[in-house]
Amino acid sequence: PDQLAVAMPLPASSLSLLLLSPRRLAIPASICCYRQFQTSQSLNKNSGKPRLKTIPVSNASQRVARGSAAASAQALLNLTPEALKKKIEERNAAEAADPRRGRQPEAECHLRDLFEPRRLPLVEILRRHREFACPEMLDNPSGQLYATCLFDMTSVKQGKFMAPFSKVIRLPHALPESLVRQHTVIAFCSSPELAEDLKAKGAMDAGGADLLGKLETGVYIQENFDYVICHPDFWPSLLKARKLLKDAMPAQKSPQISEDMESALMLYKYGIPAKLTQAGDLPDRAQCRVPFGLLDWPDYNLNENLSAIVTGLLNEKPKKSNREFIMSVSVACPPSDELFLLDWKPYTIAADSSSTAAHTVAPDTADAVAASAS
């Protein structure tokens, strides 16, 4: 069903509609991609688009699949470190023995299943997504772009793995408010003047002992806000509210505890959260999916946003680790199921030379990355 989509039954005089899956055959959209043969009778009267027949999956099948995945995850939790290491080695060996590994096509038109996916520069990925988003195909010129990053979570200590983390990254070019919501932030500080300034700049509430009292009396509960920021001079007092804040309690060494309260407020109010989740059954890999722009934005703006994301995530790499922390970066533009691997190595220039916060990109670094990508 994921390879062919067949039109609804039509009169004998009408032609059927056949869609070839782009995942099986790599053909530039400008040459031959999603060729459509149809008559006016095969179009939806409301939208003018083809009526496609979908094949639903039964609820019973979904329950069986979920139960199987849960059982597999529970079985892995009971594995000994030696057994877990053996499973990881078996998976790595199977990946290394993949016959597609290192095999690159000589022609532009080729079967994708027979070759290793190519890592493309961002400019080429955007060109391909825009071809597929044209009015004759998906008609999605302003589609939202997502970057999916795969991480190696192996720790420096043998047999240990990093826990999936969450990081907030502020993009140089903000996404429209219609696509991402602004977060609610409360700010703790001792200075009444600073508290009023933070309220004027977008904090839901700010203060010292008075704001702490609102938490203790239940005026604010954890569900009322997304993030807590705090000035270092109020940190000892905030420790008293640890049980009230629960998961929202900031770590002492996190950017949420900062003397530059205005920058912290802008970061957590307008930043994009990148939350890692375990990828697959084994704990040595994790992934996150982050939006970074719209398809009709200028290439340079998209490149700067993607550079900020990769740079911010690379800053979380363990200092003593020699492994490649980011294993791959792929770019998607729903509703298309096309997923292109990004050549993200040029973005390491920004990560290596960056000595500022994760959400900032130096102009000369951004120029170098953009030139390399093009």
Side-chain angles (χ1 to χ4, degrees), residues 122-123 126 173 292 298-308 347 365-371 373-374:
L122 181 61
V123 173
L126 294 176
H173 305 280
F292 67 96
D299 292 2
Y300 184 79
N301 293 2
L302 294 170
N303 188 74
E304 279 195 321
N305 280 0
L306 196 54
S307 175
Y347 297 95
T365 301
D367 293 340
V369 174
S374 61

Side-chain angles (χ1 to χ4, degrees), residues 19-30:
L19 301 180
L20 293 176
S21 171
R23 288 175 291 177
R24 305 293 295 182
L25 190 62
I27 301 180
S30 57

Side-chain angles (χ1 to χ4, degrees), residues 204-226:
M204 185 182 79
D205 203 348
D210 55 337
L211 182 56
L212 204 57
K214 292 179 181 179
L215 283 175
E216 293 172 348
T217 56
V219 175
Y220 292 140
I221 57 175
Q222 186 183 357
E223 289 74 17
N224 296 141
F225 49 86
D226 297 307

